[in-house]
Amino acid sequence: MKYDVELVADLRTSGGEVQDVMVNGQYAGSLFLVYREGDRLSGSLQIEQESLPEGTEEFIVEKVHAYVRSLADALEAAYYEVLVSCGSLHTVLHKPESETVWPSEDMNHDECSYDYIGSSGSKVIPVSQAESFTYEDRDQVLEMEMVSAGRSISTYIFNDVEGLELAEASLKQYGADVQGEIHWYDEPEENQLEAAAELLVRELDEDIIDTITIRMWHQGNELETLEWVHRDFSEDLEDTDESDRDELEAAEETCYVMLKRKDREFRVYELFLQERGGLPVGTATIDTSHSDLTGYIDYEVPGTSIQRKSLVEVLMQELDKEMEFDTLHLTMLYRNQIIDEARIDG
């Protein structure tokens, strides 16, 4: 049997990262790495054995080892060491979240806070959300069951009203942006597409999400792509002051990026502002192993938000010259604190 092993970034800083290990779309463990550029890399791989088919561990270890080698090369680390453990999850220590309010059976489903408009245009996520989660869509077409829940990715299955399994889905969160995929076993009907999208969107908290993208697939063919934008977020973009646009255009003429290192899966760029002379104001590390690029920018000089936007735009243009990609998601850091995030379509 072929196992699809995937590493999904959960947290990245300039000195470390956490990756969720997914096997065939299900959470299977975590990879923790800390590193110092030009020196060493170390960490641990923890595999959740009870949730895995027998014999899967070696596929996970091979995938992780290849990733660690590539990362060590990108960092020019002279030494790396990752401890591997395999067993059952004992407990999870975390900050308590506010109590979840579950919708009552007689709740008016027409008050759903997400507007479904189809795939022809941009959607809007309204400001308030009446329901936080439901297993059944409003028209009782589908039921959704959670299979696994990781820190940045969750997986689900969809059943019809008779309990027959129709599709599997995943939601991945990158900061304030969410990407979802639904893989249908048989070609779905239009009302099933709408119901599945509705159920996935209801799973999200609009207070922290700016954009949602959901792709529908059947036998490797993309059926539909749906996109939502938070109303406040979209209005902010439309109401951008003209002087800010002028400042952005001017800043783009005074910043540039230079490729420092690259290998099969990583690229490292130095970012420059001409007014700062010949010293870089930051370093961007980009994971190019997937069509959805992820990475972080570690700023020595954080600059203004306009300057950061300009540097991201120039970086994207440079990446666009070298490869094809769907999205670029960046986390921006200053003194190991997140100061900004950006997600741009390729």
Side-chain angles (χ1 to χ4, degrees):
M1 179 179 178
K2 182 179 179 181
Y3 299 108
D4 181 17
V5 180
E6 183 181 9
L7 299 178
V8 179
D10 180 34
L11 174 67
R12 275 200 176 105
T13 73
S14 59
E17 61 185 55
V18 180
Q19 301 260 9
D20 285 335
V21 181
M22 309 298 296
V23 177
N24 295 340
Q26 297 189 29
Y27 175 79
S30 296
L31 174 64
F32 306 89
L33 299 173
V34 292
Y35 37 75
R36 185 162 55 198
E37 190 170 340
D39 187 6
R40 61 175 296 186
L41 178 153
S42 62
S44 66
L45 170 63
Q46 299 178 3
I47 302 174
E48 174 59 29
Q49 189 175 37
E50 291 185 357
S51 63
L52 295 177
E54 185 176 353
T56 315
E57 295 89 341
E58 62 180 295
F59 292 95
I60 296 176
V61 173
E62 288 176 5
K63 176 74 174 183
V64 169
H65 197 181
Y67 176 80
V68 170
R69 283 196 298 265
S70 295
L71 181 59
D73 290 342
L75 295 169
E76 296 184 339
Y79 173 79
Y80 68 81
E81 180 183 66
V82 177
L83 303 179
V84 179
S85 62
C86 189
S88 59
L89 181 65
H90 182 264
T91 188
V92 176
L93 305 179
H94 63 96
K95 182 178 180 180
E97 298 178 355
S98 58
E99 185 176 355
T100 301
V101 179
W102 294 81
S104 60
E105 294 181 359
D106 58 351
M107 180 175 287
N108 183 359
H109 289 272
D110 291 337
E111 295 177 357
C112 175
S113 65
Y114 292 101
D115 296 332
Y116 183 87
I117 310 178
S119 60
S120 58
S122 178
K123 293 82 179 172
V124 172
I125 305 172
V127 174
S128 63
Q129 183 176 4
E131 297 177 84
S132 59
F133 183 83
T134 182
Y135 279 104
E136 189 175 84
D137 71 286
R138 69 182 75 188
D139 296 325
Q140 298 182 337
V141 175
L142 295 177
E143 293 181 349
M144 183 175 76
E145 296 181 19
M146 177 178 287
V147 176
S148 64
R151 282 175 291 273
S152 63
I153 182 170
S154 299
T155 59
Y156 309 85
I157 59 172
F158 290 101
N159 304 316
D160 64 13
V161 292
E162 297 178 352
L164 177 65
E165 188 173 331
L166 301 178
E168 57 188 35
S170 63
L171 283 177
K172 301 178 183 179
Q173 184 170 340
Y174 303 93
D177 305 300
V178 170
Q179 295 182 14
E181 290 195 350
I182 302 177
H183 294 266
W184 297 89
Y185 305 146
D186 298 311
E187 190 165 355
E189 299 177 1
E190 186 65 30
N191 64 338
Q192 291 176 326
L193 293 174
E194 295 181 6
E198 174 191 329
L199 287 170
L200 279 182
V201 170
R202 286 188 181 184
E203 176 72 340
L204 302 170
D205 183 355
E206 40 67 46
D207 288 334
I208 60 174
I209 300 301
D210 285 336
T211 65
I212 304 170
T213 302
I214 296 178
R215 291 184 171 91
M216 308 276 192
W217 300 86
H218 173 241
Q219 295 183 348
N221 298 315
E222 187 170 355
L223 302 176
E224 197 166 10
T225 297
L226 309 173
E227 295 182 342
W228 287 260
V229 179
H230 195 284
R231 178 170 294 147
D232 289 343
F233 182 69
S234 60
E235 288 174 355
D236 287 345
L237 291 179
E238 293 171 0
D239 297 338
T240 300
D241 189 86
E242 190 65 32
S243 62
D244 286 344
R245 292 195 181 97
D246 293 339
E247 186 179 348
L248 178 58
E249 291 175 1
E252 286 177 347
E253 297 176 359
T254 60
C255 65
Y256 59 97
V257 303
M258 291 182 61
L259 180 64
K260 182 180 178 182
R261 290 193 306 275
K262 75 173 182 178
D263 62 13
R264 191 166 55 113
E265 294 187 350
F266 288 91
R267 280 171 169 76
V268 179
Y269 295 86
E270 290 184 328
L271 314 179
F272 297 85
L273 291 172
Q274 300 221 10
E275 64 188 67
R276 291 283 177 177
L279 295 177
V281 297
T283 303
T285 303
I286 310 297
D287 183 348
T288 61
S289 58
H290 300 282
S291 59
D292 294 315
L293 307 184
T294 60
Y296 63 87
I297 297 177
D298 187 18
Y299 280 104
E300 295 289 335
V301 180
T304 67
S305 61
I306 296 296
Q307 288 173 330
R308 292 196 296 272
K309 287 179 184 178
S310 300
L311 286 167
V312 170
E313 287 290 339
V314 175
L315 175 62
M316 182 177 174
Q317 292 170 13
E318 193 67 24
L319 289 168
D320 200 37
K321 295 176 185 176
E322 300 184 39
M323 69 193 76
E324 294 183 358
F325 58 92
D326 295 332
T327 59
L328 168 64
H329 181 268
L330 288 169
T331 299
M332 291 170 239
L333 308 162
Y334 176 59
R335 295 180 179 174
N336 279 335
Q337 298 294 320
I338 296 177
I339 58 173
D340 211 343
E341 290 196 81
R343 179 183 178 275
I344 307 173
D345 293 327

